[in-house]
Amino acid sequence: ADIGITGSDLVQEAGAEVETLLSLDFGECKLVVAVPEHSMMKKIDDIPEAAVVATSFPNITRRYFESQGKRLTVVPVSGATEITPYIGVADLITDLAETGSTLRKNHLTPIANICEVKLSR
């Protein structure tokens, strides 16, 4: 394609080299690290090395945790990331959040922001 509209999250995940022509003024959110609300993990330093993180963004997630000195097991999922800590798939997640209402409905608490996500073309 010669031109397209996408979120910066997908560009980062793919590791694509693109030229941003215009940042659009809608669709902004964050990629966050979230843990079950009953978790003892309150900040990144609390996450044990043996932890498992579920995400739709395995490349961004892996890079983020490596930059924090953490080598976690990253489990790629597509959809319903919020339930993975409750069905034994993961200890924590990374997911997109705009207001945090979906995280709260699923009894998850954000403990860190990985990056801001914006739409651009």
Side-chain angles (χ1 to χ4, degrees):
D2 293 321
I3 192 168
I5 297 175
T6 191
S8 59
D9 56 327
L10 297 178
V11 173
Q12 287 181 45
E13 180 63 24
E17 301 253 348
V18 300
E19 179 183 353
T20 300
L21 301 176
L22 176 67
S23 184
L24 305 177
D25 291 330
F26 65 91
E28 294 183 13
C29 59
K30 299 174 194 137
L31 182 59
V32 301
V33 177
V35 298
E37 57 191 24
H38 66 274
S39 174
M40 299 302 289
M41 296 177 279
K42 305 297 181 199
K43 58 187 186 304
I44 297 299
D45 289 343
D46 297 337
I47 300 172
E49 292 293 325
V52 177
V53 56
T55 184
S56 297
F57 302 93
N59 296 324
I60 296 172
T61 297
R62 192 171 290 106
R63 286 191 301 263
Y64 173 76
F65 281 110
E66 285 175 359
S67 78
Q68 301 297 310
K70 299 283 184 180
R71 290 192 168 270
L72 307 183
T73 300
V74 177
V75 176
V77 295
S78 57
T81 306
E82 298 88 359
I83 67 165
T84 59
Y86 298 104
I87 60 172
V89 172
D91 302 303
L92 64 150
I93 70 168
T94 66
D95 203 7
L96 296 176
E98 185 177 6
T99 65
S101 64
T102 302
L103 293 174
R104 285 189 297 278
K105 285 179 187 174
N106 287 280
H107 306 286
L108 296 165
T109 302
I111 62 169
N113 292 338
I114 294 176
C115 63
E116 300 287 324
V117 177
K118 298 181 180 194
L119 286 177
S120 58
R121 68 176 182 168

